[in-house]
Structures are given as C-alpha cells and as structure tokens.
Amino acid sequence: MDPKLYEKYSRQILFAGLGEAGQEYLLNSSAVLVGCGALGTAAANLLARSGVGRLRIIDRDFIEPSNLHRQTLFDESDARAALPKAVAAERHLRAINSAISVEGIVADLTPENAAELLTGFPLILDGTDNFATRMLVNDAAVSAGAPWIYAAAVASYGVTMTVLPGETACLACFLESPENNGFGLEETCDTAGILNAAVGVIASIQAAEAIKLLAGKTEALHHRLISFDVWSGRFQAIRVSRNPQCRACGRREFTYLEGSGQPHITLCGRDSVQIHEHSRKLDLAALGRRLAPAVLDVRNNDFLLRFSVPPYELTVFADGRTIVKGTRDPAVARSLYARYIGA
Ligand SMILES: [Zn+2]
C-alpha cells in the first residue's frame, strides 16, 4: 500500500480484525446509502473516514435548522442555504476524505429508478425514514442478490439487521410475518421525537457491519436483529430465521419494486407532504418569476425554489417534486400544488 495511505489509515490497520489486507479491500470497495438524514449522515461519515473507496448518497430532502441536532454532517450554513442533503453531504464528505469518490444524488428512490441508482454497488445502507422506501430497498436488494443493512431509530432506541439474500432473513421475513413483535418501529420522529445518541449507536453498528462486509470479513458479521435503547440501557440481539413463505426472499414477489410509484408521502420529523410527479421538468427561475407577485418569500438556488403561502411553505425541485410544509393532508397539498405549480 502507498505509504501515505498506510499512515492515514494506520490506526485502523493496526486493529487485528482488519489489517492491511482488509484496508486494501475497503479502498477498492463501494457502497450506496439510501437516505441521508440522521442515520445516513452518521454512517456516511464513518465509511468515508474508513476509506471506503466510492460512496453514492441518494436523498430527496433539503436541510432545515431542526435537522442539525442529529444530522451530524450538516451545519448552520447548509440550513440557511436550504441545500439538498445529497449535495451538502457530498461536499462535507469530500472535505473529510479527498482520496475517495463521493457522489450525491438528489432523488427520491422509486420503483422506476431503483435499479439504475442501486445497481453496481456490492452493498446498500438504509438511511431512510419510512416503511415503503425500506421495503423497496429490500425488494431491490433481494431480487439482485445484493447485501443491505437495515437501520431505523426513533425516540431513544433503534434497530439494525444485515440482510444477506439467500442466507439470512430479509426485512419482509419478519416485518410481514403475523408474529411481528413490534420491531418495525411504528412510532415515527413525528410522534416520539429522536435523541441523537440513539442514532449514533445504531449507525455505528450499521457502519461496522458495512466495514466487515466490504473488507471481506464476513465471518465477523453479528447475524442478529440488534436493538438498543440509550435511555434505558436495554440491549437485545435476537436471531431471526428466514420465513420459507416470505413474499420477497421465499416466493420472490417483489411487490414494492413492481409498484407504480409514490404519489405522495408524509415525511418524517415535520408537518409535510411530498408530491412526486414522475418525469416532469420545471424551469425554476421562470416559475419563481411567475409566482413572485402571488406568493411570499420567493427564494431559489440552483436546486430548488421555495415560497410561502401562509400557513404553508412549498419547496419545488427541478423534477417537479414538491414538499408542502404546514399540512399532513395530501388533499390540501395536492390543491396547493395544482394552484401554484400547475396540475
Ligand atoms: Zn424474506
């Protein structure tokens, strides 16, 4: 190994479980992270510093001040600029480790683009905040035979599990089973809030599994569904067996991958509805000029246009995707979208 690289990663190479050969594997490896919020920023930070050679970060959202307590790659200037998370993550990760390749993609993972965005990566990390996207990741990974690492955190606790298609249980094996005992985290950041420390624990376990997989140390994988509560100190690690009747890894019915898209989604952590129109291209500057007389606080950057129609705030991306803040009612969001962006 190049002496400068050896020095850079020397304290990690010294760890007997990894060694120089493991580090070489990491440098030549790659991973894709779906979602770059709390878990995604924490895991991406660890993987970039570890020297994973190529990272792709997919995220549909932009940064707000209320993200900063737990989304540890971002700072106040990112929130003031309302930068897309994928764009800000790429910048910060490049500053952290210029020797690796980082690519931020501003997009919502959908059945239509999942194959294009995920194919070619030997590992997928879950940094999403909702059930539908996680199941889409599960279906895409299981159908392609690619490992992925589930992770979720809410309030003071979180869960994580590594899915090796054909070997271990997949997410559908237990979340869709009638005996599902609550590991699906029915609470959300909307109802229960979240402690940054819970995120750190779960993202660290997830990143450690990623490093084992990418460094070829699969014998060290924990093979458990792990949950940890930083408030009570309660820790559980249970074996989950494969369900031979599982829709995804058993019967190979990839219903989320075959789905016809997600017309609107309620986002985690605030009062918002997202409207996603497929394959629509908008000229944001022209739209901003057109809206200026009718709405308040029109602001745009290269990636998005934002404006207020009190009590609502709309953020429009160039592909037509729009986040309506101030409501949880899809009908209200659709009506505002039709009124200001056009149906
Ligand atoms: Zn399964």
Side-chain angles (χ1 to χ4, degrees):
M1 188 184 300
D2 175 274
K4 276 191 181 152
L5 279 183
Y6 189 96
E7 172 57 21
K8 181 172 188 172
Y9 300 112
S10 55
R11 301 308 186 271
Q12 183 169 286
I13 290 170
L14 268 174
F15 171 63
L18 198 65
E20 186 173 351
Q23 185 65 51
E24 289 271 17
Y25 271 106
L26 283 187
L27 294 172
N28 292 308
S29 70
S30 63
V32 52
L33 286 95
V34 182
C36 197
L39 287 163
T41 53
N45 187 16
L46 294 171
L47 295 185
R49 288 176 194 273
S50 299
V52 172
R54 179 179 169 224
L55 293 173
R56 173 179 283 175
I57 316 281
I58 303 165
D59 193 282
R60 65 186 183 193
D61 214 347
F62 60 91
I63 301 160
E64 295 182 283
S66 66
N67 299 150
L68 298 182
H69 95 280
R70 67 191 184 285
Q71 301 187 11
T72 49
L73 268 187
F74 307 137
D75 60 32
E76 292 181 351
S77 67
D78 298 325
R80 275 195 299 276
L83 283 179
K85 293 179 182 180
V87 171
E90 181 185 304
R91 285 183 192 167
H92 289 296
L93 292 169
R94 284 186 171 170
I96 285 166
N97 192 347
S98 59
I100 62 167
S101 144
V102 185
E103 174 193 22
I105 295 182
V106 184
D108 190 16
L109 191 78
T110 64
E112 289 79 10
N113 65 19
E116 184 196 334
L117 292 177
L118 304 179
T119 301
F121 288 87
L123 177 64
I124 306 167
L125 275 81
D126 174 18
T128 67
D129 60 3
N130 66 87
F131 180 83
T133 314
R134 275 196 186 102
M135 278 301 184
L136 174 59
V137 170
N138 184 72
D139 282 12
V142 171
S143 80
W148 77 283
I149 309 176
Y150 162 61
V154 68
S156 58
Y157 62 99
V159 296
T160 179
M161 184 177 86
T162 302
V163 176
L164 306 175
E167 276 184 60
T168 69
C170 81
L171 195 63
C173 280
F174 69 99
L175 280 192
E176 293 180 2
S177 98
E179 307 90 66
N180 173 21
N181 51 5
F183 273 110
L185 296 187
E186 270 118 34
E187 298 247 57
T188 70
C189 302
D190 278 325
T191 57
I194 182 150
L195 283 183
N196 56 15
V199 173
V201 169
I202 297 302
S204 290
I205 297 170
Q206 186 187 33
E209 288 283 279
I211 287 168
K212 294 173 204 171
L213 271 165
L214 297 175
K217 308 292 183 186
T218 50
E219 68 281 1
L221 294 169
H222 60 60
H223 292 296
R224 303 282 199 283
L225 175 68
I226 287 182
S227 69
F228 196 95
D229 187 322
V230 297
W231 207 252
S232 66
R234 187 175 146 90
F235 170 84
Q236 271 193 300
I238 57 171
R239 284 201 179 268
V240 180
S241 16
R242 282 187 74 184
N243 170 7
Q245 297 308 313
C246 172
R247 167 192 62 77
C249 70
R251 302 200 305 272
R252 299 189 71 78
E253 292 166 11
F254 302 115
T255 44
Y256 287 85
L257 197 54
E258 289 149 11
S260 54
Q262 302 146 307
H264 38 71
I265 299 167
T266 299
L267 296 179
C268 171
R270 59 179 189 273
D271 209 17
S272 305
V273 174
Q274 172 179 259
I275 307 238
H276 196 137
E277 274 204 308
H278 300 290
S279 63
R280 176 172 187 182
K281 285 265 175 281
L282 289 176
D283 179 345
L284 295 179
L287 181 63
R289 284 193 298 274
R290 181 163 68 76
L291 287 172
V295 302
L296 298 175
D297 305 319
V298 179
R299 289 167 60 197
N300 60 323
N301 58 29
D302 291 343
F303 313 101
L304 56 85
L305 168 75
R306 178 181 292 171
F307 60 91
S308 299
V309 185
Y312 310 106
E313 181 183 81
L314 282 77
T315 303
V316 188
F317 294 81
D319 63 359
R321 191 163 53 81
T322 298
I323 294 167
V324 181
K325 188 173 175 184
T327 181
R328 296 187 66 86
D329 182 347
V332 171
R334 267 202 308 273
S335 139
L336 287 161
Y337 184 91
R339 220 161 114 199
Y340 293 103
I341 321 298

